[in-house]
Amino acid sequence: MGRKSLQELQRQQLLDNTELEEHLSVKFNELNEEQKNELALSLYQITKLIYDSVK
């Protein structure tokens, strides 16, 4: 057995857009309303932090 290149291993670990969307959709639907609100707030906060840091 030969060794796999680092790029090949990384490519295998990443989800493509469709796989990621499917996974997130399933997990999001499993959340209750409070958890969805917490997730939305967390996403807003991290987005704002990134936006403010590049201004």
Side-chain angles (χ1 to χ4, degrees):
M1 278 192 184
R3 296 182 67 193
K4 294 184 179 181
S5 71
L6 181 57
Q7 283 183 329
E8 186 177 346
L9 290 173
Q10 287 174 333
R11 195 171 26 252
Q12 289 176 347
Q13 292 174 353
L14 298 176
L15 298 176
D16 66 25
N17 287 344
T18 304
E19 292 170 326
L20 181 60
E21 189 173 324
E22 288 173 7
H23 177 74
L24 291 177
S25 295
V26 169
K27 293 299 180 187
F28 185 78
N29 289 331
E30 293 174 358
L31 299 177
N32 65 38
E33 199 61 33
E34 184 178 338
Q35 291 171 317
K36 288 178 182 180
N37 290 337
E38 288 179 22
L39 177 60
L41 178 59
S42 295
L43 290 171
Y44 168 77
Q45 289 172 330
I46 190 69
T47 302
K48 184 175 181 338
L49 180 67
I50 293 168
Y51 176 78
D52 290 345
S53 71
V54 297
K55 274 205 288 187

